Amino acid sequence: MDTLVSPLQPNQGSIVQKQWRAWTKWEKILFRFAFIFIFLLIIPVTIDWYAKAISSKTIFAFLNNLTGYRPNFYNLQTPSGRWGIGSYATWGVAFVAAIIGAFIWTLIARKSKRTNYNTLYYWLRVAVRYRIAIGIIAFGFLKLYPMQMPDPSISNLDTNFGDYNTYKIYWQIVGVSIWYEIVLGLVEIVAGVLLFFRGTVAIGAVLVAGVLYNIAHANFAYDGGVHVYSSFFVLLSLFLLIQYLPNLWRLLILRQEVTPNYYYPPLKTKKQRSVFYSTKYAFVIVFTIIFAYLRYDVHYHVGQLKEPITPGLPGAAGYYNVTAFKLNGKELPFNPLDSIRWQSVVLEKWSTLVYQVHKPFSISLANGTPNPKDIDRSYELAGIAGGRRFLYYTIDYKTQSLVLQDKNRPSKEEDGPGKKKPAKDKKKKEQKLVWHFERAGNNRIILSGLNEHKDSLYVILDKVDRKFASKLDRSEIKFNK
């Protein structure tokens, strides 16, 4: 029998023993606690998750739901519950449940003759490895393509630095550094693939712990809201590395010769080996090759992105000065403190019109979920202040009209699970404005119609060739000698 030492405390003597070393009482108790705690974090325990999985209409939707599961069965409705230490409340509940469960398990097992949990420990590590792998690979493809942090829109580039929410600053910086995002995604994918194989688990776990720790503390610093999920992968990676610590201590600190030898359940029959390896490689293929293709297809062919995709007015994208602004026939002069007269307008390459006034609007704090409809895609306006109102529009070429809807409204992502939108928000969503547009040359657009208060508007917009630093070629940048 090819026997090995206990993974919790490898023997310093012979490499191979005839019998497994019996675990101490405290090793068993700690394992029981760890097993329950990790089980509650990696296995979905909420009905909503299973309902969503069953109702998945596509293979990608099912796989995305599986890879993106986040343990979140207890929420604190406070600022700390969203951005601070309170957002780890689910971990706290799992921790308490694990203590109680380990106590009960220990009472039940008092008369048991079991000397160790080698097999159960091995399969727990397998479950943790695969949970990290599929999650971090899915995370990686979002960056590799890249979709998680898109390139800043025109209106975002026009926003003053002080009008950015802190997390938006971080996301926009990564969005501008597109190759950094792509390389980061590639590292995450490679780390996930390494976790599928026992021989490379340690390297994969170190990569995941290092990369995701960086993401976790960046989200703490910038209120990004992804700190819990990234910390989740760090925690699981550290759990995987525990097995290697004794040998690393002997090798690197004590400078002793070490031959790694860890428990692995023997596959005694050909059928067992066939089932094991076919299942393993089917899993690897599904969550690397197939998922990679489906993610690409959903983004680039289906168009399920964080940003809108419906084309805007042809050749109109850009920054505009408001040359004239009439309200109910009366022209209002430019005034940066006016809450009615527009200061400037941005037309995105997609169907979004953004105007700026001296007036506060509700700020979306969503990270920008890739919603199916453009009207629900909030990434372009999320984290942006400065009196900007974002309007989604459709074009009626027969009447030369724009049909507009307000995008400055809470999204499902912000409402949180189980919350219902107030009736007034639904009414506001359904309100539509119809403005006639006229193209007076290549750089002038004239808008006329009624605003939400039924006041008549007449606005002349003149396009300005505005340069943004992040979009300049090296030849356009002037250096002082």
Side-chain angles (χ1 to χ4, degrees), residues 311-328:
L313 279 171
Y319 175 89
Y320 290 79
N321 280 333
V322 180
T323 305
F325 186 94
K326 293 182 180 180
L327 182 71
N328 293 326

Side-chain angles (χ1 to χ4, degrees), residues 437-458:
F437 71 90
E438 178 184 345
R439 304 294 292 269
N442 295 328
N443 297 320
R444 171 167 285 194
I445 298 176
I446 301 174
L447 301 176
S448 59
L450 300 178
N451 64 13
E452 65 272 24
H453 303 298
K454 306 302 180 182
D455 297 317
S456 66
L457 296 176
Y458 180 84

